[in-house]
Amino acid sequence: MLTLNLLPSTNVTLSKSRAKYPVSPSPFDPNLGSRNQKLRNLCSPALPLTTLSIQNGHLFRCSANTGSRISHPRLGFSKILRHPSGVSSRNTTQILEAASGTPEEVSPDGEIEASKPKVNVKLALIFGLWYFQNIVFNIYNKKVLNIFPYPWLLASFQLFCGSVWMLILWSFKLQPCPKINKSFIIALLGPALFHTIGHISACVSFSKVAVSFTHVIKSAEPVFSVVFSSFLGDTYPLAVWLSILPIVFGCSLAAVTEVSFNLGGLSGAMISNVGFVLRNIFSKRSLQNFKEVDGLNLYGWITIISLLYLFPVAVFVEGSQWVAGYHKALGTIGNPNTFYIWVLLSGIFYHLYNQSSYQALDDISPLTFSVGNTMKRVVVIVATVLVFRNPVRPLNALGSAIAIFGTFLYSQASAKKPKKDAVEKKD
């Protein structure tokens, strides 16, 4: 118990009704000197305490009700002494809040931290925006592919929208432009190549099967991550290996009971998983020396290089069919402006939801991000089933639920692995 005495022989009674401030100035001897000297006497360890005490960083009010506790951390009296007038407005506010019994989180340096409700609101806004953008992308991406089944061109346009978006941010200094050099571009060539493979494969899958089915298969990405990382020398605890079993079982059950099953759609989703897993692995290995580049800028440059990879191949694969397909799409939809808006929305929101995911990862922990990403697939699956009215069999829904739950288990199990490694390194 840390004790403070305001006067050797006089008890101080703290009363809100009698004074404006929690500590009444009336007991102070007017001959003690300046206000700063009074505060120094207040903080002096030589004086015994009778009515004011601090324990475990909390201030206690000891008047008629000595057992009442004010939930407020210890005040930084050294900061008060440094203030020109003796008492700063910030600390005065803290004292008033302490006397009123209002809890407030304060960091060790005396700065008031954001309250938990504000953090929860911010987290809800981050996930809400991320989910909304992802849903809009998946809906309009599928609408375009239903009448214009040329995923190579659409995927190229989406990368083009992302490239233009990043160039605008850099040009108007809305996002700091990273300093790049030849070694940085070379290091990006591998991750950008696998990003291209992952993106175009997912688009091909979307063009052939229901959006919900593609997302169920893409929930198996942790399986490929564990397998490939193990081949490259990483080790995983038994809990991680066990967590991927329900993913495999759920995806298999969903695949054999899918109404819109198509081998091309299944293959596209599986190849997309491989592409994105290899992108993550090679990014971790080849970009170790460029940690000063933040996630958004890194994704921007990967998008630009991916566009250069994809578009020439797209022209070769399906370029000869684009003109005929365009006229057929206009004849199907009737209004050309509607078609243009759908294509534009799919391109813009493809980049926006990826941008939001990188920004979310900067603001939250990897575990929270993994759980949020798992729930994102649930939200997208439910939204697209409602919009496109895809028939869902009971066993198909069960398989999807098992696969998604397995992904959640994997995120929980894999989150414990870094902590274990850190303890081993420390030992």
Side-chain angles (χ1 to χ4, degrees), residues 130-149:
W130 182 22
Y131 289 7
F132 170 75
Q133 292 167 345
N134 206 301
I135 291 172
V136 173
F137 159 72
N138 279 277
I139 290 175
Y140 286 99
N141 183 69
K142 183 62 176 176
K143 283 188 173 184
V144 173
L145 291 173
N146 282 341
I147 61 174
F148 186 76

Side-chain angles (χ1 to χ4, degrees), residues 3-22:
T3 61
L4 298 175
N5 191 352
L6 302 181
L7 281 177
S9 59
T10 304
N11 291 340
V12 178
T13 302
L14 302 180
S15 175
K16 299 180 187 177
S17 61
R18 293 179 57 187
K20 181 179 180 181
Y21 298 98

Side-chain angles (χ1 to χ4, degrees), residues 116-188:
K116 190 173 181 180
K118 292 182 180 179
V119 174
N120 292 337
V121 170
K122 181 180 180 182
L123 195 62
L125 290 176
I126 290 174
F127 279 110
L129 186 62
W130 182 22
Y131 289 7
F132 170 75
Q133 292 167 345
N134 206 301
I135 291 172
V136 173
F137 159 72
N138 279 277
I139 290 175
Y140 286 99
N141 183 69
K142 183 62 176 176
K143 283 188 173 184
V144 173
L145 291 173
N146 282 341
I147 61 174
F148 186 76
Y150 300 101
W152 290 80
L153 177 58
L154 185 60
S156 299
F157 178 76
Q158 290 163 356
L159 293 175
F160 172 76
C161 287
S163 301
V164 173
W165 186 277
M166 291 306 302
L167 291 175
I168 292 175
L169 293 182
W170 291 331
S171 299
F172 289 94
K173 301 186 184 302
L174 300 176
Q175 171 71 16
C177 183
K179 296 180 180 180
I180 61 171
N181 50 38
K182 183 178 179 181
S183 59
F184 175 70
I185 298 298
I186 293 175
L188 278 180

Side-chain angles (χ1 to χ4, degrees), residues 258-281:
E258 173 61 32
V259 176
S260 64
F261 178 82
N262 179 282
L263 186 59
L266 175 64
S267 302
M270 299 287 278
I271 295 173
S272 177
N273 285 337
V274 174
F276 286 130
V277 165
L278 292 178
R279 178 200 64 181
N280 297 337
I281 293 175

Side-chain angles (χ1 to χ4, degrees), residues 148-311:
F148 186 76
Y150 300 101
W152 290 80
L153 177 58
L154 185 60
S156 299
F157 178 76
Q158 290 163 356
L159 293 175
F160 172 76
C161 287
S163 301
V164 173
W165 186 277
M166 291 306 302
L167 291 175
I168 292 175
L169 293 182
W170 291 331
S171 299
F172 289 94
K173 301 186 184 302
L174 300 176
Q175 171 71 16
C177 183
K179 296 180 180 180
I180 61 171
N181 50 38
K182 183 178 179 181
S183 59
F184 175 70
I185 298 298
I186 293 175
L188 278 180
L189 293 179
L193 175 61
F194 290 116
H195 178 78
T196 306
I197 294 173
H199 178 47
I200 182 56
S201 300
C203 254
V204 170
S205 179
F206 285 135
S207 69
K208 296 183 178 298
V209 294
V211 176
S212 56
F213 179 67
T214 299
H215 277 281
V216 171
I217 302 302
K218 282 178 66 64
S219 67
E221 187 174 316
V223 178
F224 295 91
S225 179
V226 171
V227 172
F228 283 118
S229 297
S230 298
F231 278 124
L232 295 175
D234 291 346
T235 58
Y236 290 89
L238 179 61
V240 172
W241 287 99
L242 292 177
S243 68
I244 68 177
L245 295 180
I247 300 178
V248 175
F249 175 75
C251 289
S252 302
L253 181 61
V256 298
T257 58
E258 173 61 32
V259 176
S260 64
F261 178 82
N262 179 282
L263 186 59
L266 175 64
S267 302
M270 299 287 278
I271 295 173
S272 177
N273 285 337
V274 174
F276 286 130
V277 165
L278 292 178
R279 178 200 64 181
N280 297 337
I281 293 175
F282 277 86
S283 295
K284 186 184 300 183
R285 294 174 180 268
S286 63
L287 297 172
Q288 288 292 331
N289 298 327
F290 304 98
K291 294 183 178 179
E292 69 278 2
V293 181
D294 62 18
L296 182 56
N297 285 330
L298 180 62
Y299 177 72
W301 278 106
I302 287 178
T303 299
I304 294 173
I305 298 175
S306 296
L307 175 62
L308 300 178
Y309 275 137
L310 182 59
F311 186 69

Side-chain angles (χ1 to χ4, degrees), residues 102-118:
T102 304
E104 186 74 47
E105 297 293 334
V106 178
S107 61
D109 61 355
E111 296 294 332
I112 299 178
E113 296 177 352
S115 60
K116 190 173 181 180
K118 292 182 180 179

